[in-house]
């Protein structure tokens, strides 16, 4: 088993070296792709756009992103996946030869286990939701035809093109091995497809959101404590990241497993709070809710406000404070997008309409 994994990892390192050598001039492109594939962009860009164009798609995006990333965390704790940038220094596989040199970048030194790739899994899930939703909207009233086939071919080509770029990016940056990104894409698509058959999320009460958030938190902490009692340290990768990252400032606290967990739980809880708030009922469900000026205004204002929220970086010196502020910051995203901003836009438009009368 170990020999097989060593062979798999060594071939992955060879691919990392090949990409870094042959496509060195594309470094900025790979860095951009990795940044674009981060789930942060789902919450701060895709979600506000989709929610105000089609609420059901926006809600599904949040659920797929949050549950997918939570499952990714659980899989990582179970699979104990290595990462290329530390594996080459610790494996005895190269004991009779020189250790391959692979470069590191500001986004290389993630602190969690490597399998499956969170970027690949998140990107696959999110883009799967968007592509299938666009297809449903465009083709729901049309019979099969050459035009429909072309639309499907174009959209799925875009989907696979994005996944291919994300996978290459994560390998180039030495953050993942090839088998980890492939596994991530497959699992992300499975999660997204599963939510295509789950309908209760669109009318879930605040109580349901609260129970789901508490379950995800308690299960994760319980699983962590159970394995810790059994002598398994689930934060074993943090030490490796600090030891083998070439620059200490490249080891970011927001890539730790619990930081990811609290960000996701904050987003899910904030969505439940917003969807069941009077602000949402009076704005998005009111008479202004379906008008184009209202929706476009909400999208534009949400993107600006969320950019300001994203610019706030919680202090990392005190871990408990960092996690608490990360939770609150994430909860503020759907609260602003779904409740506060639509209510303000609706009030402005209503006031304008009264003046015209």
């Amino acid at each position: 088993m170990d020999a097989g994994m060593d062979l798999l990892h060594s071939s992955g390192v060879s691919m990392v070296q090949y990409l870094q050598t042959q496509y060195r001039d594309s470094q900025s492109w790979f860095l951009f792709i990795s940044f674009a594939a981060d789930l942060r962009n789902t919450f701060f860009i895709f979600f506000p756009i989709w929610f105000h164009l089609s609420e059901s798609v926006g809600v599904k995006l949040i659920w797929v992103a949050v549950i997918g990333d939570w499952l990714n965390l659980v899989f990582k704790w179970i699979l104990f996946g290595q990462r290329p940038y530390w594996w080459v220094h610790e494996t005895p596989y190269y004991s009779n030869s020189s250790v391959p040199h692979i470069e590191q970048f500001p986004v290389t030194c993630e602190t969690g286990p490597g399998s499956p790739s969170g970027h690949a899994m998140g990107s696959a899930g999110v883009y799967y939701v968007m592509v299938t939703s666009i297809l449903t909207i465009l083709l729901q009233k049309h019979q099969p035809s050459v035009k429909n086939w072309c639309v499907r071919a174009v959209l799925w080509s875009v989907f696979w093109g994005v996944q291919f770029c994300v996978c290459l990016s994560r390998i180039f940056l030495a953050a993942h091995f090839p088998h980890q990104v492939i596994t991530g894409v497959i699992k992300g698509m499975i999660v997204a497809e599963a939510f295509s058959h789950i309908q209760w999320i669109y009318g879930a009460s605040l109580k349901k959101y609260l129970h789901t958030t508490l379950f995800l938190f308690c299960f994760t902490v319980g699983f962590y404590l159970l394995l810790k009692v059994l002598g398994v340290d689930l934060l074993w990768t943090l030490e490796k990241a600090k030891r083998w990252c070439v620059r200490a400032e490249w080891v970011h606290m927001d890539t730790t497993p619990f930081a990811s967990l609290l960000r996701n739980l904050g987003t899910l809880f904030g969505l439940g709070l917003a969807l069941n708030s009077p602000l949402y009922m009076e704005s998005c469900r009111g008479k202004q809710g379906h008008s184009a000026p209202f929706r476009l205004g909400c999208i534009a204002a949400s993107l600006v406000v969320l950019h300001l929220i994203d610019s706030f970086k919680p202090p990392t010196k005190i871990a408990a404070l960092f996690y608490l502020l990360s939770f609150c910051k994430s909860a503020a995203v759907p609260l602003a997008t779904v409740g506060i901003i639509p209510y303000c836009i609706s009030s402005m438009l209503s006031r304008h309409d009264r003046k015209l009368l």
Side-chain angles (χ1 to χ4, degrees):
M1 179 67 177
D2 289 341
M5 289 306 298
D6 283 343
L7 183 62
L8 186 63
H9 287 147
S10 65
S11 63
V13 168
S14 297
M15 185 171 182
V16 173
Q17 284 187 298
Y18 174 80
L19 289 175
Q20 291 185 350
T21 302
Q22 300 297 319
Y23 298 95
R24 181 180 300 273
D25 295 338
S26 302
Q27 173 183 326
S28 58
W29 168 251
F30 285 125
L31 286 169
F32 168 75
I33 290 296
S34 188
F35 167 78
D38 194 294
L39 275 182
R40 179 182 287 106
N41 293 311
T42 297
F43 301 138
F44 287 88
I45 298 177
F46 293 145
F47 169 64
I49 293 174
W50 271 107
F51 182 82
H52 292 295
L53 292 178
S54 175
E55 287 188 14
S56 61
V57 179
V59 171
K60 185 195 278 191
L61 274 178
I62 292 294
W63 277 92
V64 168
V66 168
I67 301 301
D69 206 42
W70 178 78
L71 287 172
N72 181 265
L73 170 62
V74 174
F75 285 137
K76 283 181 174 178
W77 278 355
I78 294 174
L79 298 175
F80 290 87
Q82 303 285 337
R83 289 185 185 269
Y85 76 92
W86 75 58
W87 181 82
V88 292
H89 299 290
E90 297 192 341
T91 179
Y93 185 81
Y94 300 107
S95 58
N96 296 325
S97 59
S98 60
V99 175
H101 172 73
I102 55 177
E103 294 186 36
Q104 295 181 18
F105 306 89
V107 296
T108 295
C109 304
E110 296 201 4
T111 56
S115 186
S117 166
H119 278 71
M121 188 168 174
S123 173
V126 167
Y127 276 86
Y128 188 92
V129 169
M130 291 194 292
V131 167
T132 53
S133 298
I134 293 173
L135 286 173
T136 299
I137 294 170
L138 293 179
L139 307 181
Q140 60 182 348
K141 296 180 180 180
H142 296 84
Q143 297 297 322
S145 65
V146 174
K147 182 180 178 180
N148 290 352
W149 184 90
C150 290
V151 171
R152 292 179 184 275
V154 169
L155 288 177
W156 284 116
S157 295
V158 170
F159 171 83
W160 286 112
V162 170
Q163 305 320 308
F164 182 71
C165 290
V166 171
C167 291
L168 287 184
S169 169
R170 302 305 290 168
I171 297 170
F172 175 90
L173 298 173
H176 289 289
F177 293 101
H179 69 279
Q180 295 172 343
V181 294
I182 294 173
T183 303
V185 170
I186 294 172
K187 290 182 177 178
M189 293 176 65
I190 291 174
V191 171
E193 178 59 28
F195 272 94
S196 297
H197 306 282
I198 299 176
Q199 300 300 316
W200 63 263
I201 60 174
Y202 304 113
S205 64
L206 178 58
K207 186 177 180 180
K208 178 75 75 172
Y209 274 95
L210 180 60
H211 287 172
T212 304
T213 303
L214 289 175
F215 168 77
L216 296 177
F217 178 76
C218 293
F219 180 92
T220 307
V221 174
F223 186 54
Y224 170 78
L225 294 176
L226 173 63
L227 292 183
K228 192 170 185 178
V229 169
L230 297 176
V232 179
D233 181 15
L234 291 178
L235 300 181
W236 59 279
T237 56
L238 184 58
E239 183 274 331
K240 292 183 183 292
K242 292 179 178 178
R243 181 179 181 185
W244 296 115
C245 192
V246 296
R247 298 179 64 173
E249 62 268 26
W250 287 355
V251 180
H252 301 291
M253 191 171 179
D254 62 356
T255 65
T256 59
F258 281 107
S260 171
L261 172 68
L262 289 171
R263 279 198 307 271
N264 290 326
L265 296 186
T267 303
L268 189 64
F269 177 71
L271 178 64
L273 201 59
L275 287 173
N276 292 277
S277 69
L279 297 180
Y280 166 75
M281 295 299 178
E282 292 180 24
S283 55
C284 295
R285 292 295 184 182
K287 61 179 182 179
Q288 298 279 3
H290 298 289
S291 68
F294 171 78
R295 294 191 176 197
L296 292 176
C298 287
I299 291 174
S302 295
L303 292 175
V304 173
V305 172
L306 295 191
H307 176 72
L308 296 176
I309 294 176
D310 191 33
S311 65
F312 168 70
K313 307 299 179 185
T316 59
K317 291 184 178 180
I318 303 176
L321 179 62
F322 172 79
Y323 291 140
L324 175 62
L325 291 178
S326 295
F327 179 90
C328 294
K329 174 183 174 180
S330 298
V333 172
L335 272 173
T337 303
V338 176
I340 299 173
I341 292 174
Y343 180 79
C344 294
I345 298 292
S346 177
S347 299
M348 291 172 58
L349 291 176
S350 297
R351 193 176 301 115
H352 177 71
D353 291 343
R354 286 196 296 269
K355 286 183 179 180
L356 292 178
L357 294 174

